[in-house]
Amino acid sequence: MKQLFKCVGTLLLIGLTLSAYSIEQSTLAQKATSYLAQRGEVRLKVAIKSNFDVVTLSRIVDVDQVHGNEVSVYANENQFKKFCAYDFNYSVPAEWNDPPQGVITGGYAKEIENNLPYEWDKYPTYNEYVTMMNKFASDYPNLCKIEEFGQSIRGKKYLAVKISDKIGENEAEPRFFYQSTVHGDELCGYVLTLRLIDYLLSKYNSDKRVKRLVDSMEIWINPLGNPDGTYNGSNTSTRNSRRQNSNGVDLNRSFKCPTGRPQASSQKETKIIQNFAKGKKFSLEADFHSGAELVCYIWGCWSQNVADKAWWEYVGKEWASNAQRNSPSGYFTQENGCVNAYRWYVVRGERMNGATYFEKSRDLTIEVSYTKKLPSSQLNAHWGYQKEAMLSYMEQALNGVRGTVTDSTTGDPILAKVFISGHDKDSSHIYSFLPHGDYYRYLYRGNYNITFTALNPNTMKPDTNYDAKTIRNVNVVNDRATILNVKLKNKHAVSIANTADNHGIKMLKMIPRKNGVSLSWANIKGAATINIYSMKGTLVKTFNIKKSNKGSLFWNGTDHFGQKVGAGSFIVNLNNNAVKATERLVITH
């Protein structure tokens, strides 16, 4: 009988425990549902037993951070329903989901109106942000211009400033990009990048370091990468900001990914960002986030090491050291300040993976604060923590192996693949950029064999008119530039020999005219031909000259079929039995 009572008691205890667990789960679900109704997303703290749980979670919700055996995740309504089908222990922390105290939005209007220095102790309203960005361009027209490169689902502007000493020109120099707050509730980087714009512009004439940066590169900064998320529900407050966009999608999990998942950017905003970056051809960039305090480098989607692992760790640890050196003890020490993304947790569809793999840029993730919605009172302090790191990383854009790739005969710029045998893998090679043929290959110290292969711009396949060239034992020193200008030989190039007669009189002259060029000749006896060739040796046009001692003709820039030729270099060859003359003609239209 005693044994029976014991068994019954055990069953009752189990029943009560299960009942309590069910009530607790139901309460948690109700709490989560309430936040979903308010904000369209909920942030959960989930207990895990192994990294396999992180992989499972990443397939059903948006993994945010991993801290030991706890994972921070975000979920929209559909994601939360899927999550509830799994047996994870979780909580719904109020401090993660309730609008925080101390996040002040608005107050820049007075500073803008009275042209006062910004205090940087608050977040701007959406309208203040747009006004500030436009004011940068109007206050510094010779250094800054603003570009609207798209609009969010709800019609908010995607804005970027370009900062350069020659603002209207496309120079042969590296293009650098900072972007922040693709996760709309990660607010600190939003103000840091706005302040960096102000710092670079206002210090240009007084700070040699700033002047060198602005004079030596093309700087682009987009402070707000998810305006709908940051101004969720109101253009005048950031307290209710959310991670996801208006569709309830995490933008930094929906960029085109090297693994093929996703195969293409799935959201309007990710397409806007990706197309903007592709068009600008950035060589170095970084994205600002919050929720941790560290630098994170690729790959996040694969377990294999990136080709330039030593370089990534070098610049990542440099950033971390600068942040640690300029902050209180304990700041930016998570994972010793620098971590490989995959070894932290698996991420697919992240901006930095796609930027490096598809766009041939180099992109870091910078986590600047454990607190997502940093209290406004801490913004000035975090500028002090991060300013040196931000500037030092920009200076890395000027280092590594860099130069131009040009035609050895004409000097024309060439689109080329820059590949390092025995080193490059997983699409780590880069390309030179048109219209200048400039390239920027960031490498850790050592000696490298670098091969340059001309490409057809239309197909991006090797241009068989050119021989590839390998430069061996190129020496690279950290924090220094190795200048390597490369000339590729066109196998079909026509040689140029400017010719004069015995009296030193030039036999073939060319004079630019409206809509064409005038060709004239002298001291020619008998019939002759004038052939115009492309630099690849293709015959473009032929003129037959009757018996004449001197004469002229007009070429309107068309080929044998009456089609206009494009801009470029051409060879004009005059020939008869007694005389030959060759000149180079450049068309720039």
Side-chain angles (χ1 to χ4, degrees), residues 105-139:
T105 309
Y108 285 98
K110 183 178 179 181
E111 296 164 18
I112 293 169
E113 183 179 348
N114 295 289
N115 206 31
L116 298 171
Y118 297 126
E119 296 294 332
W120 303 114
D121 57 354
K122 51 198 167 282
Y123 297 98
T125 65
Y126 173 70
N127 288 336
E128 286 175 344
Y129 163 64
V130 174
T131 302
M132 291 168 79
M133 292 288 278
N134 282 291
K135 194 171 187 299
F136 289 136
S138 62
D139 285 351

Side-chain angles (χ1 to χ4, degrees), residues 16-146:
L16 289 170
T17 302
L18 289 172
S19 177
Y21 176 77
S22 297
I23 293 171
E24 181 186 7
Q25 293 296 100
S26 177
T27 302
L28 287 172
Q30 289 175 3
K31 192 175 180 181
T33 301
S34 174
Y35 285 125
L36 285 166
Q38 294 172 34
R39 301 174 53 243
E41 70 179 18
V42 63
R43 187 180 177 194
L44 312 173
K45 182 185 288 186
V46 184
I48 60 169
K49 297 175 182 177
S50 69
N51 287 335
F52 179 77
D53 287 340
V54 179
V55 175
T56 302
L57 285 167
S58 68
R59 292 170 180 164
I60 53 178
V61 291
D62 297 323
V63 174
D64 170 46
Q65 305 287 341
V66 178
H67 298 282
N69 293 324
E70 292 181 340
V71 181
S72 163
V73 305
Y74 284 79
N76 59 28
E77 185 176 349
N78 289 332
Q79 288 173 319
F80 184 67
K81 287 179 181 178
K82 293 177 182 177
F83 173 80
C84 288
Y86 290 78
D87 190 26
F88 283 108
N89 289 325
Y90 71 98
S91 61
V92 189
E95 65 271 21
W96 285 4
N97 292 280
D98 288 336
Q101 300 301 314
V103 176
I104 300 170
T105 309
Y108 285 98
K110 183 178 179 181
E111 296 164 18
I112 293 169
E113 183 179 348
N114 295 289
N115 206 31
L116 298 171
Y118 297 126
E119 296 294 332
W120 303 114
D121 57 354
K122 51 198 167 282
Y123 297 98
T125 65
Y126 173 70
N127 288 336
E128 286 175 344
Y129 163 64
V130 174
T131 302
M132 291 168 79
M133 292 288 278
N134 282 291
K135 194 171 187 299
F136 289 136
S138 62
D139 285 351
Y140 301 93
N142 295 324
L143 295 175
C144 178
K145 77 170 187 177
I146 189 168

Side-chain angles (χ1 to χ4, degrees), residues 253-288:
R253 302 294 181 270
S254 61
F255 286 100
K256 186 178 179 182
C257 184
T259 63
R261 292 181 293 167
Q263 291 184 337
S265 301
S266 63
Q267 296 298 299
K268 180 182 181 182
E269 292 91 344
T270 49
K271 291 176 183 177
I272 287 171
I273 294 168
Q274 199 160 274
N275 289 338
F276 172 74
K278 184 178 179 181
K280 299 305 178 191
K281 297 180 174 63
F282 299 121
S283 53
L284 189 63
E285 53 189 290
D287 313 304
F288 290 94

Side-chain angles (χ1 to χ4, degrees), residues 331-350:
Y331 177 71
F332 224 78
T333 56
Q334 184 182 356
E335 301 286 345
N336 293 318
C338 180
V339 67
N340 170 257
Y342 189 90
R343 282 156 183 75
W344 192 19
Y345 63 93
V346 181
V347 177
R348 293 185 174 88
E350 193 173 25

Side-chain angles (χ1 to χ4, degrees), residues 102 129 143 162 190 250-251 258 287 289 301 343 406 492 523:
Y129 163 64
L143 295 175
K162 174 188 175 182
Y190 179 21
D250 184 335
L251 296 181
D287 313 304
H289 291 263
C301 55
R343 282 156 183 75
T406 56
H492 306 291
N523 301 333

Side-chain angles (χ1 to χ4, degrees), residues 329-531:
S329 176
Y331 177 71
F332 224 78
T333 56
Q334 184 182 356
E335 301 286 345
N336 293 318
C338 180
V339 67
N340 170 257
Y342 189 90
R343 282 156 183 75
W344 192 19
Y345 63 93
V346 181
V347 177
R348 293 185 174 88
E350 193 173 25
R351 165 72 191 150
M352 68 173 180
N353 291 320
T356 304
Y357 189 90
F358 296 108
E359 297 162 24
K360 308 306 176 189
S361 181
R362 297 294 184 263
D363 191 4
L364 279 179
T365 292
I366 315 296
E367 300 274 359
V368 294
S369 168
Y370 280 121
T371 306
K372 297 266 187 174
K373 302 176 185 180
L374 190 72
S376 306
S377 60
Q378 297 182 34
L379 288 170
N380 274 300
H382 278 71
W383 167 255
Y385 303 163
Q386 292 289 342
K387 182 184 78 171
E388 177 60 30
M390 295 168 78
L391 295 173
S392 293
Y393 184 66
M394 293 175 72
E395 288 172 327
Q396 288 293 345
L398 303 174
N399 299 327
V401 182
R402 54 183 295 190
T404 57
V405 186
T406 56
D407 186 299
S408 62
T409 303
T410 68
D412 291 340
I414 291 176
L415 172 65
K417 179 179 179 179
V418 183
F419 181 82
I420 303 174
S421 179
H423 177 85
D424 277 327
K425 62 178 182 177
D426 299 328
S427 195
S428 63
H429 62 275
I430 61 163
Y431 300 120
S432 60
F433 301 127
L434 295 178
H436 303 294
D438 51 321
Y439 72 94
Y440 309 91
R441 183 64 169 94
Y442 304 115
L443 292 163
Y444 190 70
R445 67 188 182 198
N447 294 314
Y448 299 87
N449 298 329
I450 308 178
T451 299
F452 297 82
T453 305
L455 300 177
N456 182 318
N458 297 318
T459 64
M460 294 303 289
K461 292 182 178 180
D463 186 336
T464 55
N465 292 297
Y466 288 90
D467 291 319
K469 178 181 282 189
T470 298
I471 312 296
R472 301 190 178 278
N473 295 316
V474 178
N475 183 250
V476 176
V477 178
N478 291 340
D479 303 318
R480 295 288 184 272
T482 298
I483 306 300
L484 182 62
N485 296 319
V486 177
K487 298 181 183 296
L488 298 183
K489 184 179 180 181
N490 187 328
K491 292 181 284 188
H492 306 291
V494 180
S495 61
I496 303 172
N498 296 327
T499 311
D501 67 6
N502 293 332
H503 302 286
I505 300 173
K506 203 170 186 180
M507 290 184 292
L508 180 61
K509 296 182 181 179
M510 299 179 293
I511 303 173
R513 304 290 187 194
K514 185 178 180 181
N515 300 321
V517 61
S518 174
L519 306 175
S520 61
W521 58 89
N523 301 333
I524 297 176
K525 296 179 180 179
T529 58
I530 292 180
N531 291 317

